[in-house]
Structure formats: structure tokens, C-alpha cells
């Protein structure tokens, strides 16, 4: 074969091989040459143990497990204390988004702060992934195209706990509720579930945030004669309320306690003697599977405590976000969120989790009961599984939330 013909044949073959070969994975196009994650939560008050520095540790673990870099650049994690104040949280969020190059804000306990920050993220077209904040309004009327609610919400806590308790015969309720957005939403959703399940609400009383003395509120709930007293609060408020209920002998008097939101650090603080028999709903428990045990033990080595569901949710959400940036080839907020919705969530936190149009990450929830001292085999062996509730049953139906994005998607 003449040289020119051979050369042409080789060039043609090379071209065909190039066309047949798979394209190399595109490196992400980062808007400012880096990815910056920001954890915004309570570093110094009642939610500091359940979120706080532990959520930062969880985010850093996720970054390390992902590989530590994107587009060859280190992934940065920053954090700040919002002091449970919407104005403080809003100011920090604006500075992070406008001046500091933050791509995504994470965690945000205290529902009033989460709602305020979600509005800012929505206005600026930035990503917000809430793990610590609980109000179901985040995926309801105040939903955002770039907002994701990851770990739990007031609807799921109320639905799982309320229906199960009424089925157990605990069909008359009294509420001790935190007097702010989260408490109101939790109480509202729980009352709806109790009534839907055939129960009755005999009493509601609202206590100010960070209450030290629950005696008058507990006496009112006790005096209602309700079979079950539900605490629609969180953090230090829940711990104080349960401690004082124990001191008053409420459980010994025949009434049952249910914490609509309590974390493993709270139960550990209370002690199993005080907390035994308490019903609760959670999105995560460290001793549930080999994968959760591995994560829990790694986390404890760094933080000194087992992870709460909020902190586990931060880990999961960071890992999923980074995978989406890599898969999308960009850190553009709307593109990344679309990719996050497209990809299932499979990690130690969730199996086949999915993100809906309203921003709700749907995954299984778990009804737990605090073990008795005889049942527990160690310091952190605190819960026993009562029921696993599939995500589609645990979380509010998509059509019932009132999210405008759902209406727009239906048109």
C-alpha cells in the first residue's frame, strides 16, 4: 500500500477510535475557582450539642470522604454562630453569599432563622440545605427552588409519633410547646395527626424559649388528666422539661411522656434512668446498621459524642451536594439542585432517598423507645427500634404542602 494511502487509513482509524472512546469526566466549572461550604447554627446555646461544632465536624468528614478537592482545588468549610436570632443569621447569610463566595449554607437549626435564611437564599439564587431546622413550612408555602430540607420536619415527627402513640391507646394528649415558630409548627402538625388518628387534645400550654422552670407548665399538663404529655420543644428545653417531669413523679403517676423532638445527646444527658420508656422519632440512630455504626464511631472519635440526626444529616447532605457538583460539571446553584434531585441519596443516612420538587428529601424515619437500664449494654446503647416508617408515609404528601413550585410543575 502506498505511504499516502496507509497514512490516510491510519488517520481514519484513529479518528474512529477517538469517536468510540468514552469522553473523560468533565471537571466542574467553578464560578470563582473553589467550592465553599458554610455551616450556620447554634454554637453556644441550647442546640450547641445537637448541632454546633459537631455539624462542622460532620461536614469536614464528608469533604474528606469525598476526596477533599474539586477541580483540583481544596473544598473549604467555614462556620458561624447565629445565636438563634433571625437577624443575626440573616446578616451572616448575606455576607457569606455576597462577599465571601459561599456556595451553600448548611444546618440552620431554629426554624425562625431557617425561614429567614431561606428567603435570602431564594432572593439570591443560592443553595440552602437545612438539617437542624424543623418547620415543615420550609417545603410548604415558603419553599424555594434552591432550598432543600434534608433530615426531618415537624410533619414527620408529629405523624410518626402521633399515630403510633394513639394506636398504643394513648389517645388523650396535653402539649407543652416552645413559644416560637418551630414549636408552633410542631404542635400544629401533631394536633392534626392526633385528631386524624382518633385521639383528643385536652390541653396546650406554651413556654418561652430557654425556659428554666417548667413547673407551672407541667402542672397544667398533669392536671388535664391526659394519658400522654407531649413536649413540642427541643434541646435544653426538652431536657429540662423531662428532668422536672421526673422530679414531679408524672410518669410514676401513670402519665406517659413523649418528646416530639429529642436527640441522642439529650437522652445521654438525661441518663437512661430518667429517660427510660420515652417515645421519640428520629431520622438516624448510630447503632442501627453496620454503616451507621462505622460513621458513629468515627464521629465520636473526633467529637466525643455520638452523632445526632442533625449532624448525620449534615454529613449526608454535604456528600450528596459535592457529588452533584461533580456530576453536573458546574457549581451553578439551580443546575446543582436539579442534579441533586435527579440523583438518589444512598449513604449511611438514607437508602434510595430522593429530593422532591418542594425541596423535601424523602427517606425512612424511625420510631424509637429509650431502653431500660437492664436492656442497655453500654453508655450509648440507648434506643430500641419500634418501627421503621417509609419516607412516603412519614413525610407530608407533596400535594398538601402548598408549595408554589409544585403548582408550577403541574402546569
Amino acid at each position: 500500500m502506498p505511504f499516502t494511502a496507509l497514512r490516510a487509513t491510519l488517520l481514519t482509524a484513529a479518528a474512529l477510535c477517538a469517536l468510540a472512546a468514552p469522553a473523560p469526566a468533565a471537571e466542574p466549572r467553578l464560578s470563582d475557582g473553589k467550592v465553599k461550604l458554610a455551616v450556620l447554627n447554634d454554637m453556644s446555646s441550647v442546640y450547641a450539642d445537637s448541632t454546633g461544632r459537631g455539624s462542622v465536624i460532620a461536614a469536614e468528614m464528608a469533604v474528606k470522604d469525598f476526596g477533599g478537592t474539586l477541580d483540583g482545588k481544596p473544598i473549604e468549610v467555614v462556620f458561624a454562630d447565629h445565636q438563634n436570632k433571625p437577624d443575626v443569621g440573616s446578616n451572616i447569610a448575606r455576607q457569606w453569599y455576597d462577599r465571601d463566595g459561599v456556595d451553600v449554607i448548611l444546618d440552620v437549626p431554629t426554624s425562625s432563622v431557617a425561614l429567614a435564611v431561606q428567603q435570602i437564599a431564594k432572593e439570591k439564587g443560592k443553595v440552602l440545605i437545612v438539617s437542624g431546622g424543623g418547620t415543615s413550612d420550609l417545603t410548604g408555602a415558603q419553599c424555594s427552588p434552591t432550598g432543600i430540607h434534608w433530615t426531618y420536619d415537624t410533619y414527620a415527627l408529629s405523624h410518626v409519633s402521633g399515630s403510633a402513640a394513639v394506636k398504643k391507646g394513648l389517645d388523650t394528649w396535653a402539649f407543652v410547646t416552645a413559644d416560637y415558630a418551630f414549636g408552633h409548627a410542631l404542635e400544629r402538625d401533631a394536633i392534626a395527626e392526633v385528631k386524624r388518628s382518633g385521639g383528643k387534645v385536652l390541653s396546650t400550654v406554651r413556654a418561652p424559649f430557654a425556659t428554666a422552670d417548667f413547673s407551672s407548665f407541667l402542672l397544667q399538663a398533669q392536671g388535664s388528666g391526659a394519658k400522654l404529655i407531649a413536649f413540642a420543644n427541643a434541646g435544653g428545653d426538652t431536657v429540662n422539661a423531662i428532668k422536672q417531669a421526673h422530679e414531679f413523679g408524672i410518669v410514676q403517676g401513670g402519665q406517659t411522656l413523649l418528646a416530639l423532638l429529642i436527640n441522642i445527646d439529650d437522652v445521654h444527658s438525661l441518663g437512661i434512668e430518667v429517660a427510660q420508656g420515652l417515645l421519640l422519632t428520629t431520622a438516624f440512630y448510630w447503632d442501627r446498621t453496620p454503616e451507621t455504626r462505622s460513621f458513629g464511631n468515627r464521629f465520636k472519635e473526633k467529637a466525643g459524642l455520638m452523632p445526632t440526626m442533625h449532624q448525620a444529616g449534615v454529613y449526608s447532605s454535604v456528600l450528596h451536594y459535592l457529588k452533584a457538583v461533580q456530576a453536573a460539571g458546574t457549581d451553578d446553584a439551580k443546575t446543582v439542585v436539579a442534579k441533586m434531585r435527579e440523583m438518589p441519596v444512598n449513604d449511611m443516612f438514607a437508602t434510595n432517598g430522593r429530593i422532591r420538587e418542594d425541596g423535601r428529601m424523602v427517606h425512612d424515619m424511625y420510631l424509637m423507645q429509650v431502653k431500660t437500664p437492664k436492656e442497655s449494654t453500654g453508655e450509648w446503647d440507648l434506643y430500641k427500634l419500634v418501627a421503621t416508617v417509609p419516607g412516603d408515609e412519614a413525610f407530608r404528601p407533596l400535594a398538601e404542602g402548598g408549595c408554589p413550585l409544585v403548582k408550577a410543575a403541574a402546569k
Side-chain angles (χ1 to χ4, degrees):
M1 179 182 294
F3 174 76
T4 53
L6 176 61
R7 182 173 181 273
T9 300
L10 291 173
L11 287 173
T12 300
L16 290 172
C17 288
L19 288 172
E27 289 291 347
R29 297 184 301 277
L30 305 179
S31 56
D32 55 0
K34 62 182 178 182
V35 171
K36 194 169 187 178
L37 316 175
V39 177
L40 180 62
N41 64 24
D42 177 359
M43 296 279 176
S44 56
S45 187
V46 294
Y47 305 136
D49 286 341
S50 59
T51 61
R53 179 63 187 167
S55 291
V56 180
I57 290 171
E60 291 170 343
M61 288 176 65
V63 169
K64 184 176 180 180
D65 289 350
F66 177 76
T69 64
L70 266 172
D71 198 17
K73 305 291 178 59
I75 301 163
E76 186 178 356
V77 178
V78 299
F79 60 90
D81 185 352
H82 62 38
Q83 303 172 40
N84 298 304
K85 298 176 181 178
D87 58 335
V88 174
S90 296
N91 289 336
I92 293 170
R94 288 185 189 279
Q95 178 175 322
W96 274 346
Y97 285 143
D98 290 344
R99 293 167 40 190
D100 296 344
V102 164
D103 296 291
V104 56
I105 294 177
L106 304 148
D107 203 9
V108 203
T110 308
S111 291
S112 57
V113 183
L115 288 168
V117 173
Q118 174 136 302
Q119 184 58 37
I120 293 167
K122 183 177 181 179
E123 291 171 0
K124 298 183 178 297
K126 294 287 189 174
V127 180
L128 171 69
I129 309 177
V130 175
S131 183
T135 177
S136 56
D137 293 343
L138 286 164
T139 56
Q142 299 192 51
C143 65
S144 165
T146 53
I148 299 172
H149 204 180
W150 199 266
T151 301
Y152 75 107
D153 61 29
T154 53
Y155 181 96
L157 295 178
S158 303
H159 180 77
V160 175
S161 296
S163 60
V166 172
K167 287 177 183 177
K168 287 172 67 72
L170 301 169
D171 55 2
T172 55
W173 286 48
F175 284 86
V176 177
T177 301
D179 194 10
Y180 64 101
F182 166 78
H184 298 172
L186 189 55
E187 179 193 81
R188 176 197 66 205
D189 291 344
I191 287 175
E193 184 56 40
V194 169
K195 291 180 177 178
R196 182 163 47 240
S197 300
K200 295 180 180 179
V201 177
L202 303 184
S203 171
T204 60
V205 59
R206 291 182 173 177
F209 176 70
T211 294
D213 183 3
F214 279 89
S215 57
S216 63
F217 309 114
L218 289 169
L219 289 171
Q220 182 172 327
Q222 185 181 34
S224 71
K227 295 178 184 178
L228 182 146
I229 298 174
F231 297 113
N233 50 16
D237 285 344
T238 306
V239 169
N240 287 335
I242 294 173
K243 279 182 179 177
Q244 291 170 36
H246 179 73
E247 292 167 3
F248 291 167
I250 289 177
V251 174
Q252 294 89 326
Q255 291 172 297
T256 297
L257 302 182
L258 184 146
L260 287 164
L261 174 59
I262 191 167
N263 286 293
I264 194 167
D265 61 296
D266 301 323
V267 175
H268 184 263
S269 173
L270 282 164
I272 202 165
E273 187 70 38
V274 173
Q276 60 181 305
L278 185 73
L279 289 171
L280 60 104
T281 297
T282 187
F284 176 86
Y285 177 50
W286 75 272
D287 200 22
R288 191 178 62 83
T289 68
E291 292 76 19
T292 59
R293 280 191 285 277
S294 175
F295 172 76
N297 288 319
R298 288 171 56 212
F299 181 92
K300 186 174 180 291
E301 286 180 5
K302 297 176 180 293
L305 301 170
M306 282 297 178
T308 66
M309 67 172 174
H310 310 309
Q311 293 157 346
V314 168
Y315 173 92
S316 175
S317 63
V318 168
L319 199 58
H320 193 70
Y321 173 81
L322 293 175
K323 289 177 180 177
V325 172
Q326 187 174 56
T330 178
D331 61 356
D332 173 73
K334 290 185 177 180
T335 305
V336 171
V337 169
K339 183 60 69 173
M340 291 177 75
R341 289 196 183 107
E342 178 185 315
M343 298 166 57
V345 181
N346 283 301
D347 55 26
M348 61 84 203
F349 181 83
T351 301
N352 292 323
R354 60 187 177 85
I355 301 170
R356 303 188 310 201
E357 301 95 302
D358 61 353
R360 176 69 259 163
M361 203 280 269
V362 177
H363 54 82
D364 293 348
M365 295 287 289
Y366 309 98
L367 181 67
M368 299 282 185
Q369 188 170 35
V370 178
K371 291 183 174 181
T372 65
K374 288 184 178 180
E375 291 172 323
S376 177
T377 61
E379 180 184 6
W380 291 96
D381 180 26
L382 297 174
Y383 296 168
K384 55 186 176 183
L385 180 65
V386 176
T388 298
V389 181
D392 286 334
E393 295 179 21
F395 291 99
R396 180 175 59 200
L398 183 62
E400 295 180 10
C403 172
L405 299 174
V406 176
K407 296 177 183 177
K411 292 180 179 179

